[in-house]
Amino acid sequence: MADATLAAAPLSNTREIARAIWAEKAKRARRAALLKHLFLIGCSLIMIYPLLWMVASSLKPNNQIFGDLSLWPSEFRWDNYTSGWNGMSVSFSTFFANSLFVTVLSVIGNVLSCSFAAYAFARLEFTGKNIWFALMMMTLMIPYHVVLIPQYLTFLNLGWVDTYLPLIVPQFLAGDAFFIFLMVQFFRQLPRELDEAAMIDGCSAFKIYWAIIMPLSIPAIATAAIFSFIWTWDDFLGPLVYLNDVKDYTVPLALRMFNSQDSVTQYGQMFAMSVLSILPIFVFFIIFQRLIIRGIAMSGLK
Amino acid sequence: MAGVTLSEVRKAYGGLEVIHGVDLEVTPGEFLVLVGPSGCGKSTLLRMIAGLEEITDGTIAIGDRIVNDVPASQRILSMVFQSYALYPHMSVRKNLAFGLTNLRMPRPEIERRVAEAARILQIGELMERKPRQLSGGQKQRVAIGRAIVREPQLFLFDEPLSNLDAELRVQMRVELANLYNRLGTTMIYVTHDQVEAMTMATRIAVLSKGNVEQVGTPYELYNFPRNRFVATFIGSPKMNMIDAVATSGTAAFDDLGALPIAAADGPVSIGVRPEQVAIGGEGELTAEGTVSLVEYLGSEIFVHVRLASGRTLLAKADGKAPHKLGDRLPVAIRRENLHLFDAAGLALPRAA
């Protein structure tokens, strides 16, 4: 119908017709944008509610936490943070230091060793390359809990139980097929002519990896680093199995200690420490996510 | 400056041989162009000289040193890639200096060479930029700069101009020719564009399906092609090819008449370049045909003349010539302009 009027309109009015079409289009776009935003805001509220609930609960007195669902505490109990920090026999400073130690070493180990393995799979020629790659991919399908017991026995025989070694050393042995796969895929899309130019420019295989491939793969490296950080920081089972001394506990284990059977659980303090425990992930994510974007822009490959 | 000698060079991938025993002598200071259709093995051959590709059999010598087992970085050569292959994360200056730094050259010497290359290629104001901030032509200059700072004994170019637009390609062609005149270093240049090959080369090697068909100066290849492949590959537009059968010293051509030739009985073919098909001129072979297409290029026109048998002859004429679609035209070919080939496609002597 609108088309009919437009078609019937005399062609001398082209400018007005254009304006009418434009106005109609703008109106439709505004309506669509409004609906889209309402929907997305609704979804994000649902997703962010548990997080806000945790932050709110960290400021409530114990008896209010499960009593009301409101996000605004009637009174602010800041001392949840201070008393929570020192609520255990060992202070949270130790737990955070332990977590940071394990996590930072794991991230470094993962990024280094997995990028080595990935470079080999992506660029070097060796016997049985495809078979090794397939084997590596198959390890992705084995659940962690299946290897847990044999792994525990191995580390027990090595005398590593009750140390950080079982949590850190495997990360330096390119143990995570997911990161290797991620990097192999990234390395493969870097033009081979860059390697060849570098070869003529006198680079060894290691120098090509270090001076050409790695700087161009910052987005993939940063992605691996972020995942590695989050997974290690959040890991509960690994530290639970291998660490026995409270002084060695990481943050997730320490949080669990609030939930004891022989005393009243201090939920406010637990949530306060939970809030603090996600801050490092948050900061790390912000920094490395910038690296991803800058890396993509810098390489000029996209 | 060094020559390159290829002896019986072969390359096979698995069981599939793609280079079938190439012998080629590149003299010091020569600009040799490897030209051929895609898939003829010209890039593979270049990459084998560069050391980026293993040699399956035969030897490659640079100067008087056999380099089969010498790694690319120690062959003292530079290579310019089709995609330029500039390091995206390094500035132009670092791109130029990277190879020299790897050689542990003293810093003042690196700076001198980089500055010299920047001056020659006029990229001085681009030195701090990243490759992504450069245009195609600028990237090409930087890639050439990266090649010349090493002061190699041999330059290798792998289709360096094919990513550029037509105008820039012509310009860079001139610049490369000037660079060659200035440096005088041996250059081996791979292209599929026979205009590039003809205009820049001291000598051209025409490759087809992993074999060298002919090596010679552009003049030799154009005027004395050794076989049908070279005859039709070199020259644009293509040479006209007409098949005939020779019987007792005479070849009879449909439409055009007969000609005494010095060939054994059997199928033969003649080739004649479009500029040597004279419209309305004189010659030993004559015919009349209808214009089926006229391609106007400004300075010249290409006239497609359909002969009685349905075969089309391509003739070049002056841009001002009045020929148009549907005209009846007489064409003539002089005997001395004919290229004669036997059944196997090899050139036969011209004189009958």
Side-chain angles (χ1 to χ4, degrees):
Chain A
M1 104 237 118
D3 291 342
T5 39
L6 288 178
L11 280 175
S12 55
N13 277 347
T14 47
R15 190 176 291 179
E16 273 168 41
I17 295 171
R19 208 169 290 157
I21 293 173
W22 189 84
E24 177 67 22
K25 250 190 186 167
K27 210 165 89 188
R28 233 179 290 160
R30 259 201 312 276
R31 211 178 305 145
L34 193 70
L35 280 174
K36 191 169 73 186
H37 278 89
L38 282 178
F39 175 74
L40 292 175
I41 289 170
C43 288
S44 54
L45 279 181
I46 293 172
M47 288 207 250
I48 207 172
Y49 178 78
L51 188 72
L52 295 179
W53 184 86
M54 181 176 77
V55 175
S57 302
S58 76
L59 294 167
K60 288 176 180 175
N62 223 10
N63 55 6
Q64 264 185 30
I65 291 173
F66 299 105
D68 70 293
L69 289 173
S70 75
L71 287 180
W72 199 253
S74 53
E75 53 168 321
F76 285 85
R77 296 286 294 271
W78 297 105
D79 61 322
N80 276 344
Y81 282 83
T82 46
S83 46
W85 190 268
N86 296 312
M88 305 287 145
S89 53
V90 180
S91 118
F92 260 82
S93 317
T94 313
F95 301 137
F96 270 93
N98 293 343
S99 268
L100 215 58
F101 173 71
V102 172
T103 307
V104 167
L105 281 181
S106 292
V107 170
I108 293 171
N110 260 323
V111 165
L112 272 182
S113 63
C114 292
S115 64
F116 265 151
Y119 177 70
F121 279 126
R123 284 297 204 261
L124 306 181
E125 294 304 324
F126 53 91
T127 327
K129 182 161 124 173
N130 293 335
I131 293 168
W132 290 117
F133 191 74
L135 265 179
M136 180 205 76
M137 292 307 290
M138 280 197 299
T139 65
L140 271 179
M141 291 163 214
I142 304 173
Y144 179 57
H145 311 86
V146 172
V147 295
L148 187 61
I149 291 172
Q151 223 169 53
Y152 182 84
L153 292 175
T154 310
F155 290 129
L156 188 68
N157 287 331
L158 286 171
W160 286 5
V161 172
D162 211 12
T163 71
Y164 290 121
L165 292 176
L167 301 177
I168 292 168
V169 173
Q171 317 295 335
F172 279 86
L173 300 175
D176 206 312
F178 174 73
F179 295 139
I180 299 176
F181 178 67
L182 181 88
M183 293 190 212
V184 166
Q185 292 306 98
F186 198 89
F187 292 171
R188 276 188 184 152
Q189 51 97 41
L190 296 174
R192 247 173 206 276
E193 287 195 341
L194 288 180
D195 298 43
E196 292 172 350
M199 230 182 270
I200 290 179
D201 267 341
C203 287
S204 60
F206 178 78
K207 186 84 192 273
I208 293 173
Y209 157 84
W210 188 249
I212 308 291
I213 301 286
M214 284 303 263
L216 291 178
S217 302
I218 287 175
I221 306 290
T223 309
I226 288 176
F227 277 114
S228 175
F229 189 96
I230 294 175
W231 291 345
T232 320
W233 185 267
D234 283 351
D235 186 20
F236 179 74
L237 191 56
L240 180 70
V241 170
Y242 292 112
L243 302 178
N244 297 331
D245 191 336
V246 177
K247 285 203 294 296
D248 296 335
Y249 273 15
T250 56
V251 174
L253 287 184
L255 288 176
R256 177 67 181 73
M257 292 197 325
F258 279 106
N259 256 323
S260 63
Q261 278 154 356
D262 41 81
S263 64
V264 181
T265 304
Q266 293 295 329
Y267 283 107
Q269 295 179 10
M270 185 176 87
F271 287 130
M273 289 306 101
S274 301
V275 170
L276 292 184
S277 78
I278 61 172
L279 283 183
I281 295 180
F282 190 68
V283 172
F284 193 84
F285 181 78
I286 298 283
I287 296 170
F288 274 70
Q289 179 240 21
R290 276 199 194 157
L291 267 184
I292 295 179
I293 294 163
R294 215 178 57 192
I296 290 172
M298 186 186 74
S299 63
L301 292 166
K302 288 276 141 61
Chain B
M1 203 157 41
V4 179
T5 312
L6 282 69
S7 319
E8 272 295 303
V9 170
R10 287 170 194 279
K11 176 71 190 178
Y13 293 104
L16 183 72
E17 194 172 82
V18 292
I19 304 276
H20 313 293
V22 165
D23 288 299
L24 189 63
E25 181 87 32
V26 186
T27 53
E30 178 173 46
F31 196 125
L32 182 95
V33 175
L34 298 174
V35 69
S38 55
C40 70
K42 55 192 189 298
S43 279
T44 309
L45 207 55
L46 189 80
R47 291 164 55 81
M48 283 159 88
I49 298 171
L52 299 173
E53 203 85 59
E54 290 275 327
I55 303 161
T56 309
D57 199 8
T59 59
I60 293 179
I62 298 177
D64 41 21
R65 182 165 72 135
I66 290 182
V67 294
N68 286 33
D69 285 330
V70 178
S73 58
Q74 286 163 33
R75 296 191 183 189
I76 324 182
L77 50 79
S78 291
M79 182 156 167
V80 177
F81 295 84
Q82 182 178 354
S83 66
Y84 321 127
L86 300 176
Y87 310 122
H89 57 301
M90 298 183 195
S91 66
V92 169
R93 183 183 302 282
K94 283 195 179 139
N95 262 285
L96 294 182
F98 186 65
L100 304 181
T101 321
N102 289 338
L103 292 173
R104 300 184 196 290
M105 193 175 278
R107 183 163 284 280
E109 176 63 10
I110 295 179
E111 276 165 15
R112 184 192 71 73
R113 288 194 184 189
V114 169
E116 171 75 3
R119 194 181 59 75
I120 293 175
L121 296 162
Q122 294 164 3
I123 49 173
E125 70 277 25
L126 309 174
M127 295 308 273
E128 306 313 323
R129 292 206 201 158
K130 294 277 171 66
R132 67 167 186 281
Q133 298 162 314
L134 304 177
S135 69
Q138 290 169 333
K139 281 184 195 165
Q140 184 59 71
R141 283 214 184 86
V142 176
I144 294 169
R146 189 171 63 181
I148 64 180
V149 288
R150 307 193 53 188
E151 299 180 1
Q153 49 177 345
L154 175 64
F155 280 103
L156 305 176
F157 295 91
D158 190 4
E159 309 218 13
L161 304 186
S162 41
N163 279 3
L164 300 176
D165 60 54
E167 196 187 335
L168 207 52
R169 199 177 310 162
V170 174
Q171 186 193 332
M172 287 307 292
R173 209 165 71 199
V174 174
E175 286 188 25
L176 269 178
N178 287 338
L179 187 74
Y180 168 64
N181 291 336
R182 171 184 206 134
L183 300 175
T185 314
T186 318
M187 298 191 176
I188 304 179
Y189 187 106
V190 161
T191 181
H192 62 269
D193 179 351
Q194 49 107 3
V195 179
E196 262 172 47
M198 295 291 279
T199 51
M200 296 165 75
T202 321
R203 282 195 311 154
I204 299 176
V206 181
L207 273 84
S208 162
K209 295 177 186 155
N211 289 307
V212 175
E213 298 289 342
Q214 188 172 359
V215 186
T217 63
Y219 181 87
E220 285 166 355
L221 293 191
Y222 191 79
N223 294 295
F224 308 102
R226 215 166 61 93
N227 56 33
R228 254 186 95 137
F229 178 82
V230 177
T232 50
F233 188 79
I234 298 287
S236 174
K238 265 185 170 176
M239 183 185 274
N240 293 295
M241 277 292 169
I242 303 157
D243 295 325
V245 177
T247 33
S248 46
T250 310
F253 302 94
D254 298 349
D255 311 319
L256 290 158
L259 206 63
I261 57 165
D265 288 2
V268 293
S269 52
I270 56 163
V272 58
R273 298 208 179 272
E275 65 267 30
Q276 284 152 352
V277 176
I279 296 174
E282 299 211 333
E284 285 79 358
L285 293 175
T286 55
E288 201 178 65
T290 314
V291 175
S292 62
L293 181 68
V294 177
E295 293 174 284
Y296 180 73
L297 275 87
S299 65
E300 63 208 24
I301 56 174
F302 293 117
V303 186
H304 297 244
V305 182
R306 190 189 302 269
L307 305 180
S309 65
R311 164 183 294 114
T312 304
L313 265 189
L314 185 61
K316 184 173 139 179
D318 188 82
K320 293 199 174 110
H323 312 304
K324 59 182 192 300
L325 194 67
D327 284 359
R328 294 285 296 170
L329 289 179
V331 291
I333 302 163
R334 300 179 78 89
R335 165 177 203 105
E336 69 259 29
N337 292 330
L338 288 179
H339 300 269
L340 196 56
F341 303 99
D342 66 10
L346 286 177
L348 294 168
R350 280 187 201 191

